[in-house]
Amino acid sequence: MKESLMTPSASGKQAKKIKVAVAKGDGIGPEIMDATLSILKAAGAAIDPEFIELGEKVYESGHSAGIDRNAWEVIRKNRIILKAPITTPQGKGYKSLNVTLRKTLGLFANVRPVSALDPFIPTPHKNMDVVIIRENEEDLYAGIEHQQTTDVVQCLKLITRPGCERIIRYAFEYARAYDRKKVTCMVKDNIMKLTDGLFHSVFTEIGQEYPEIAQEVQIIDIGSARLAAHPEKYDVIVTSNLYGDIISDIAAEIVGSVGMAGSANIGTEVSMFEAIHGSAPDIAGKQSANPSGLLNAAVMMLAHLGQTEIADKIRNAWLKTLEDGIHTADIYTEGLSTQKVTTSEFAVAVTERLGKQPDNLPVSRMSDGNGHITLPEYERRDVKKTLVGVDVFIDWQGNDPQIIGQALDKVGAYKMKLKMITNRGVKVYPEGLDETFCTDHWRCRFVAGDASIKQAVPDYRPVDFEQVLDLQSKLNAAGFDIIKTENLYEFDGQRGFSLGQGE
Ligand code: NAD
């Protein structure tokens, strides 16, 4: 079954008005939201704002996440949020509203278009026009961290097949919907063969369904270097959470438009649109704020709702206003700008240009695509999972691998034997090198010791969980400090774990 990410009734050109939850936010929020809404109204956007209170006032009234029950209900009912920036109170006990919204509402895709506005925002990359689509919920940002020994802390990097399928398909659908020509996937699967390897293989798999879109995979390190040096070579980039966090800031910085950019947080149920910048308390109430970031977020919202022609109309009028030199204080340049305007005067200037196109800056043509994004529901595959061993992580304060290795060799466990020990991933027993530095964190790999059982992959044969329990009990009785265990599985005969470096 296909699931449409658009509000269904909004797909027609003269669509009926869609109710949108609108938060005016804090600081400059109300000023830039009023300016944005006045342009949307004049352009004929088919939306009907339903205002909610988020941020400072709600925090102060005792809601530690900055949102109350009524706002949740309006958001869940309307499914679309246009949000001005809010001020995050200082001090302990307050939760970040953005993180709360993103995680609670399952906003899995962060979409950030970055394009050059030279000479109004000077950049050496005049032809840059990139959309970064970042997975928003998984990866190292799952926030699962543990200290395991005196020396070692760990953070779990979780990459899931449904998460990969959803974000990668969204990127291809986005390219198709907005007439983009290429999708680049960025990973580090030369090192992280299972996690980033899954992202890469899902990209290749799903990419086959989009033969009209050019596709490439780059290793994130060289990919980010090339993005910084030659951003005009990129179109849509899809990547996991951490890499996306880093490259979306690189992209915004090199084009110099952090203050002008909008972003979308897309979920299967709810989507949220906002400027990248904060609430700018230093200029609040002065009518000097630039509403462009929020206006661009609103343009993305209209495109998401299928109102791509109105989205183009507003974006093109905005580009024309910039070209005509009508600028707010933050982008006003003597000699280049023609008029320094207030927030509301800027909105009037954009409104007056609705229907016009820019002469030099690239014309917005979102309506050339089909403006429609659908994602299928995830279907879990039926695979055969076989237990073939266990990694037992031990806290041991010694530093000679021979001592712990020989002691573990002597532990007689029911049909299991020590295969190897690694320290920080490098094999140190048997046959390690004296030069390898060892911490107090030892991964001890145990596999089936009974050679009579049929071999599935070299060195690994099916084991019973009873054997794993028996092993742990014997290790504990022998005085070893077990800090965690990881079962080793094969899935349909494919190894589901990494080998030790040097194994
Ligand atoms: P900021 O983006 O609000 O301001 C940084 C600088 O940019 C300031 O000098 C400000 O005057 C200027 N600026 C920002 N937007 C502008 C605009 N539209 N027009 C003209 N100038 C603009 O960043 P900050 O000062 O670090 O944060 C202020 C508050 O905003 C903090 O409470 C922070 O937590 C919050 N914040 C909220 C969001 C959000 O709601 N999405 C995002 C970032 C920061």
Side-chain angles (χ1 to χ4, degrees), residues 40-73:
L40 262 58
K41 189 170 181 198
I47 63 153
D48 181 11
E50 185 168 359
F51 293 97
I52 53 172
E53 192 71 58
L54 294 180
E56 249 178 340
K57 278 191 201 137
V58 188
Y59 279 116
E60 282 163 10
S61 72
H63 295 86
S64 65
I67 179 166
D68 63 18
R69 181 184 283 275
N70 175 56
W72 279 124
E73 274 169 20

Side-chain angles (χ1 to χ4, degrees), residues 28 83 85-88 98 274 276-283 289-290 330:
I28 58 170
K83 174 180 160 290
I86 61 122
T87 302
T88 315
N98 276 336
E274 62 179 342
I276 286 172
H277 61 73
S279 59
D282 51 333
I283 55 165
N290 187 341
D330 56 316

Side-chain angles (χ1 to χ4, degrees), residues 249-446:
D249 273 16
I250 293 176
E253 184 68 20
I254 59 174
V255 85
S257 66
V258 182
M260 310 276 273
S263 78
N265 288 279
I266 307 289
T268 48
E269 300 296 325
V270 177
S271 296
M272 180 173 82
F273 300 83
E274 62 179 342
I276 286 172
H277 61 73
S279 59
D282 51 333
I283 55 165
K286 296 183 178 161
Q287 271 290 321
S288 67
N290 187 341
S292 298
L294 186 61
L295 182 63
N296 278 316
V299 163
M300 293 174 79
M301 175 186 78
L302 293 174
H304 176 82
L305 291 171
Q307 301 179 30
T308 46
E309 283 177 15
I310 293 170
D312 280 338
K313 188 171 160 188
I314 296 173
R315 170 99 185 163
N316 286 328
W318 173 72
L319 291 169
K320 178 74 175 134
T321 308
L322 294 180
E323 276 190 355
D324 288 348
I326 299 171
H327 297 160
T328 44
D330 56 316
I331 56 166
Y332 183 84
T333 314
E334 208 67 58
L336 176 72
S337 308
T338 55
Q339 208 184 331
K340 192 190 279 185
V341 289
T342 64
T343 311
S344 52
E345 286 166 350
F346 185 82
V348 170
V350 175
T351 303
E352 286 169 354
R353 284 162 182 75
L354 288 168
K356 293 191 177 160
Q357 293 197 339
D359 300 313
N360 300 305
L361 292 168
V363 175
S364 175
R365 299 189 192 286
M366 286 179 270
S367 49
D368 283 357
N370 62 25
H372 195 98
I373 293 181
T374 53
L375 296 182
E377 266 179 21
Y378 176 66
E379 282 175 33
R380 188 168 293 127
R381 296 155 183 221
D382 200 8
V383 289
K384 183 167 186 294
K385 178 176 157 188
T386 312
L387 186 66
V388 294
V390 63
D391 279 347
V392 181
F393 290 76
I394 289 175
D395 180 349
W396 182 62
Q397 303 290 317
N399 58 13
D400 182 353
Q402 292 300 320
I403 296 175
I404 182 170
Q406 285 163 11
L408 288 170
D409 277 335
K410 282 191 201 128
V411 174
Y414 169 56
K415 289 184 180 171
M416 291 201 83
K417 63 167 192 203
L418 179 69
K419 182 170 193 300
M420 62 148 193
I421 301 175
T422 67
N423 200 294
R424 292 187 301 166
V426 182
K427 193 180 87 168
V428 292
Y429 182 86
E431 295 164 16
L433 296 181
D434 290 346
E435 288 80 0
T436 307
F437 176 76
C438 290
T439 67
D440 53 4
H441 188 266
W442 305 81
R443 174 177 61 161
C444 310
R445 177 160 292 179
F446 289 85

Side-chain angles (χ1 to χ4, degrees), residues 146 148 154 156 390-395 441-444 472 481-486:
H146 300 94
Q148 298 179 323
Q154 79 164 16
L156 280 188
V390 63
D391 279 347
V392 181
F393 290 76
I394 289 175
D395 180 349
H441 188 266
W442 305 81
R443 174 177 61 161
C444 310
Q472 289 193 50
D481 180 2
I482 300 173
I483 50 180
K484 82 163 190 171
T485 61
E486 285 287 350

